[in-house]
Amino acid sequence: MSFLKPLAVLLASVAMTAAASAAPEVGKPAPDFSATDSKGRTVKLSDYRGKTVVLEWTNDGCPYVQKHYSTNNIQSLQKDAAAKGIVWLSVISSAPGEQGAVSGAEADKLSETRGAAPAAVLLDAEGKVGRLYDARTTPHMFIVNGDGTLVYMGGIDDKPTVIPSDVKAARNYVRAALDDLAAGKPVATPVTRPYGCSVKYKHS
């Protein structure tokens, strides 16, 4: 029986590793987080309990992100969401020196020049929030309902290109999901494949 103790330790280690790296799942509680925004404020997901929250991973140097901002696609979504009381949080997980990394002032300037209207831009230079959500691309979209449940994760639409003219013909998954929630219905397409540039995480 001497082998049982090492086996138990091994299984416990495997379980802890799995828990630490577990990706979020639709239908399960969205991972709570605390992050600093571009204005130096602390933002917690749990602060918005009772409201729908959209998380948008972004990187202004990424051609896929540029496609959606140059066509006003994301700004339109942000403004429509704000009008409905939905909280839109843009998240920048680029490490310092990597594409898309900006200071708080630079992030605010970007929002101003692009006409963007997020509730806040979170600066996640250490990649803690990004890795918590297993964010892999920019853009990569997540929607959390008022109960704190993750109800959508994936791409912004079904046209994985950098061609701006594709936006008009695309099926916008985020808008469709928000419409479903507004109608009191489950999100019809809760998981899709994200596309875009890789998130420029800090190397460990």
Side-chain angles (χ1 to χ4, degrees):
M1 294 294 186
S2 60
F3 68 91
L4 289 178
K5 186 174 180 179
L7 179 60
V9 171
L10 175 62
L11 290 175
S13 175
V14 169
M16 290 176 64
T17 300
S21 61
E25 293 181 44
V26 163
K28 301 284 182 66
D32 195 12
F33 60 78
S34 177
T36 302
D37 76 1
S38 59
K39 301 184 187 305
R41 302 172 299 196
T42 299
V43 174
K44 296 179 181 177
L45 178 64
S46 54
D47 289 342
Y48 298 112
R49 186 59 65 94
K51 294 186 176 183
T52 297
V53 177
V54 177
L55 301 175
E56 169 216 355
W57 261 263
T58 188
N59 163 3
D60 73 296
C62 168
Y64 292 92
V65 171
Q66 291 168 355
K67 162 190 165 184
H68 291 289
Y69 276 97
S70 69
T71 54
N72 211 38
N73 189 33
I74 286 183
Q75 297 94 318
S76 175
L77 283 168
Q78 292 171 335
K79 290 171 184 174
D80 287 351
K84 296 173 182 173
I86 296 167
V87 177
W88 188 292
L89 301 176
S90 298
V91 187
I92 300 173
S93 293
S94 297
E98 297 287 349
Q99 183 190 61
V102 291
S103 67
E106 290 168 335
D108 288 344
K109 187 68 176 176
L110 269 173
S111 292
E112 180 184 345
T113 56
R114 297 189 296 192
V121 180
L122 308 185
L123 303 181
D124 182 41
E126 295 294 320
K128 292 180 180 177
V129 181
R131 289 192 169 92
L132 188 64
Y133 276 78
D134 192 28
R136 284 169 275 157
T137 62
T138 51
H140 195 165
M141 311 298 298
F142 298 81
I143 301 175
V144 182
N145 71 9
D147 296 330
T149 300
L150 185 65
V151 295
Y152 176 79
M153 62 180 186
I156 189 169
D157 63 26
D158 65 348
K159 297 289 185 185
T161 74
V162 296
I163 304 170
S165 59
D166 280 346
V167 168
K168 282 188 177 179
R171 180 186 178 196
N172 192 305
Y173 293 128
V174 174
R175 188 177 293 283
L178 293 176
D179 286 347
D180 285 343
L181 292 175
K185 300 187 297 187
V187 174
T189 308
V191 180
T192 65
R193 185 175 68 85
Y195 71 87
C197 305
S198 61
V199 178
K200 311 307 183 199
Y201 286 119
K202 180 180 180 180
H203 299 294
S204 55

